[in-house]
């Protein structure tokens, strides 16, 4: 939808926030950037990592990642006027095996990127549905 091209995605703190912002920009913009900035999308994003499969020696065999985003869309210049807001969540996990530290970090980064893409997809779908109902309003 053309309206998605009018949404400016505000900065999201931390590296995982940057991943989410990039995923949102890829999904919202057909030309790689907003055509005209009419709306501002602000997102609060967190990823919690939980160790599960705790062994008798207190080590774990699995990491679970829970991602959550709270977002709102406002008209540019009117940050107090929320047009729509919502939530998005995603969960992923990885097995911890005897692997090198670098390989474990690489797998963790891959999961965080996948979570960002899932969250961005949910937000994009919710925005598209809102714009469809409120087309030219």
């Amino acid at each position: 939808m053309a309206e998605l091209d009018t949404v400016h995605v505000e900065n999201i703190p931390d590296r995982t926030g940057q991943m989410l912002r990039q995923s949102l920009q890829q999904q919202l913009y057909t030309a790689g950037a907003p055509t005209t900035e009419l709306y501002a999308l602000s997102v609060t994003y967190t990823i919690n990592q939980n160790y599960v499969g705790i062994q008798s020696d207190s080590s774990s065999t699995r990491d679970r990642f829970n991602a959550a985003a709270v977002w709102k869309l406002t008209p540019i210049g009117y940050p107090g006027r929320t047009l729509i807001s919502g939530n998005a969540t995603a969960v992923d996990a990885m097995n911890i095996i005897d692997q090198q530290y670098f390989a474990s970090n690489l797998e963790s980064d891959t999961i965080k990127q996948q979570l960002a893409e899932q969250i961005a997809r949910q937000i994009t779908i919710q925005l598209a549905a809102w714009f469809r109902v409120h087309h030219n309003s």
Side-chain angles (χ1 to χ4, degrees):
M1 296 183 74
E3 286 89 352
L4 294 176
D5 270 333
T6 63
V7 176
H8 167 73
V9 182
E10 294 181 350
N11 288 329
I12 307 169
D14 302 321
R15 176 66 187 131
T16 55
Q18 293 170 3
M19 292 170 144
L20 176 57
R21 185 171 189 250
Q22 289 174 342
S23 293
L24 281 164
Q25 289 171 329
Q26 289 171 353
Q27 293 183 31
L28 291 173
Y29 309 145
T30 55
T35 53
T36 303
E37 294 181 351
L38 301 177
Y39 305 96
L41 177 66
S42 61
V43 181
T44 302
Y45 184 54
T46 58
I47 296 180
N48 294 314
Q49 184 175 353
N50 302 314
Y51 300 104
V52 294
I54 306 297
Q55 302 298 301
S56 59
D57 66 354
S58 297
S59 65
S60 64
T61 59
R62 192 159 174 82
D63 280 356
R64 183 174 44 225
F65 298 82
N66 298 303
V70 178
W71 59 270
K72 69 177 180 174
L73 183 72
T74 59
I76 295 283
Y78 300 94
R81 185 174 163 230
T82 302
L83 300 172
I84 181 177
S85 62
N87 300 300
T89 59
V91 177
D92 206 338
M94 72 177 196
N95 290 325
I96 301 172
I97 55 176
D98 293 332
Q99 57 182 312
Q100 295 178 352
Y101 180 75
F102 175 78
S104 177
N105 273 354
L106 184 60
E107 187 174 0
S108 176
D109 285 348
T110 301
I111 287 174
K112 290 174 183 174
Q113 182 62 49
Q114 291 170 346
L115 289 170
E117 290 168 7
Q118 291 175 38
I119 296 287
R121 192 171 311 114
Q122 290 177 40
I123 293 171
T124 301
I125 289 168
Q126 292 176 51
L127 287 172
W130 185 83
F131 278 120
R132 184 177 192 100
V133 170
H134 297 88
H135 183 67
N136 293 329
S137 59

